[in-house]
């Protein structure tokens, strides 16, 4: 058990976020994360009712920014669709363990089975449709992190401009961590000068507009599950921002993912594919490239990710 997860009772900062008058019964490691210590906190409320919480613990300045980004992302989703994520409670810094930070939310027992395509995409479509950007732009009010690397979230009026900046940041991170590549330099020029304008500019021309929709931001199958008690789909580990709703499906394209074509087909029964529809698959391939580039930057030792 990590020192931070196991020291819940000693930290007044964290205890303040738990229900008033509750008694901590146990703390234990729970779940798997590449970047953080994760755990479960079981308490007894004043009336004798048992309740459980999930905690994620990270250290240093980066850890503080990551826990804040996840709390703000989860809160944004919860505000729109509270049944789709565990209720976020707080993020903060341990009072007794220097430079150690936490994200706290309600614990929900989940299976790792794949959710029903129609049940899942009905909720995802609802999130995309009901969410409203606070200023009508693409972006987010705090930096969010996919893994332990930041994403571009600056506010932009144009989706094409936003995506190009997001893609460039991902490429810069990848090259910075894995070294220069002449082939990448050549391909990148074509990507930014030809491919992105060709596939994204039509979305915002000829009278067409793109609605900034709140996205999960890293919706691969390991960040989704099914609530054991309610049998409802859930998502977690979000790194949200306001984007073109179809951006979400870029993470469904890699071969290792388990969100297959049936999920995209189910989603399209709730939300229309953006015009021009003939560019749909091309846009998904482009969005996948953004995810693949970021993942290649995350895992420095894995050289095959750059080849992908």
């Amino acid at each position: 058990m990590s020192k931070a997860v196991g020291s819940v009772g000693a930290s007044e900062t964290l205890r303040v976020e738990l229900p008033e008058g509750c008694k901590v019964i146990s703390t234990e490691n729970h779940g798997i994360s590449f970047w953080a210590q994760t755990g479960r906190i079981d308490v007894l409320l004043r009336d004798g009712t048992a309740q459980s919480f999930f905690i994620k613990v990270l250290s240093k300045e980066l850890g503080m920014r990551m826990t804040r980004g996840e709390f703000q992302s989860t809160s944004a989703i919860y505000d729109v669709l509270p049944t789709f994520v565990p209720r976020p409670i707080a993020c903060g810094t341990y009072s007794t363990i220097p430079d150690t930070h936490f994200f706290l939310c309600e614990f929900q027992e989940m299976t790792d089975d794949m959710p029903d395509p129609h049940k899942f995409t009905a909720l995802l479509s609802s999130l995309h449709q009901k969410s409203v950007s606070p200023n009508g732009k693409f972006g987010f009010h705090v930096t969010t992190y996919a893994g332990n690397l930041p994403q571009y979230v600056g506010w932009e009026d144009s989706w094409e401009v936003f995506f190009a900046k997001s893609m460039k940041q991902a490429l810069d991170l990848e090259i910075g961590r894995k070294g220069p590549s002449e082939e990448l330099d050549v391909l990148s020029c074509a990507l930014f000068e030809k491919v992105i304008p060709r596939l994204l500019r039509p979305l915002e021309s000829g009278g067409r507009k793109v609605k900034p929709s709140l996205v999960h931001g890293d919706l691969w199958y390991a960040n989704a599950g099914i609530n054991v008690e309610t049998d409802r789909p859930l998502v977690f580990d979000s790194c949200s921002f306001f984007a073109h709703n179809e951006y979400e499906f870029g993470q469904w394209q890699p071969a290792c993912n388990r969100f297959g074509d049936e999920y995209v087909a189910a989603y399209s029964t709730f939300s229309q594919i953006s015009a021009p529809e003939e560019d749909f698959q091309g846009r998904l391939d482009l969005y996948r490239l953004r995810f693949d580039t970021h993942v290649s930057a995350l895992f420095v030792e894995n050289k095959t990710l750059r080849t992908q």
Side-chain angles (χ1 to χ4, degrees), residues 55-227:
I55 187 168
K56 182 178 285 189
V57 180
L58 297 106
S59 61
K60 302 182 179 178
E61 176 74 18
L62 175 61
M64 183 178 70
R65 294 196 300 265
M66 289 171 65
T67 52
R68 180 177 59 191
E70 183 168 358
F71 175 72
Q72 294 294 335
S73 295
T74 309
S75 297
I77 296 173
Y78 186 84
D79 287 346
V80 177
L81 208 61
T83 61
F84 202 31
V85 287
R87 180 173 69 89
I89 296 170
C91 64
T93 300
Y94 277 84
S95 58
T96 52
I97 309 174
D99 211 15
T100 303
H101 317 282
F102 65 86
F103 162 70
L104 184 71
C105 67
E106 282 188 334
F107 179 88
Q108 297 203 22
E109 193 72 54
M110 285 181 276
T111 72
D112 57 4
D113 297 331
M114 291 299 292
D116 174 82
H118 280 85
K119 286 183 180 179
F120 184 79
T121 57
L123 290 168
L124 184 63
S125 172
S126 182
L127 171 68
H128 293 162
Q129 290 179 23
K130 290 181 178 179
S131 55
V132 178
S133 170
N135 53 18
K137 298 183 179 186
F138 302 95
F140 205 59
H141 61 285
V142 299
T143 300
T144 56
Y145 287 74
N148 63 356
L149 293 177
Q151 307 183 113
Y152 179 77
V153 294
W155 293 112
E156 302 289 350
D157 291 308
S158 161
W159 171 241
E160 180 190 342
V161 171
F162 179 92
F163 181 83
K165 290 184 177 181
S166 175
M167 186 72 228
K168 185 175 188 311
Q169 178 166 308
L171 270 169
D172 287 347
L173 285 169
E174 205 274 352
I175 292 168
R177 290 166 73 91
K178 284 190 169 165
S181 162
E182 289 185 14
E183 185 179 16
L184 265 184
D185 290 342
V186 172
L187 293 172
S188 296
C189 287
L191 175 70
F192 289 104
E193 292 175 9
K194 296 181 180 180
V195 179
I196 291 177
R198 164 61 188 86
L199 288 172
L200 300 189
R201 195 163 297 170
L203 290 168
E204 300 175 299
S205 55
R208 293 186 285 264
K209 292 184 178 179
V210 177
K211 172 191 178 294
S213 297
L214 185 66
V215 295
H216 175 284
D218 189 21
L219 199 51
W220 67 304
Y221 70 87
N223 287 343
I226 302 172
N227 183 294

Side-chain angles (χ1 to χ4, degrees), residues 206-278:
R208 293 186 285 264
K209 292 184 178 179
V210 177
K211 172 191 178 294
S213 297
L214 185 66
V215 295
H216 175 284
D218 189 21
L219 199 51
W220 67 304
Y221 70 87
N223 287 343
I226 302 172
N227 183 294
V228 170
E229 291 185 4
T230 65
D231 199 39
R232 291 179 68 93
L234 283 170
V235 296
F236 48 93
D237 279 356
S238 53
C239 49
S240 298
F241 52 90
F242 288 89
H244 180 207
N245 64 308
E246 293 173 1
Y247 173 84
E248 205 91 90
F249 310 142
Q251 187 65 302
W252 295 6
Q253 301 303 299
C256 64
N257 205 4
R258 290 162 61 187
F259 282 115
D261 293 341
E262 68 273 20
Y263 287 86
V264 177
Y267 182 95
S268 67
T269 66
F270 302 105
S271 293
Q272 222 173 359
I273 292 172
S274 298
E277 291 187 22
E278 60 268 23

Side-chain angles (χ1 to χ4, degrees), residues 7 9 34-35 45 60 62 194 207 213 248 274 285 287 305:
S7 301
F34 287 112
W35 325 109
L45 305 181
K60 302 182 179 178
L62 175 61
K194 296 181 180 180
S213 297
E248 205 91 90
S274 298
D285 291 338
Y287 298 158
L305 291 171

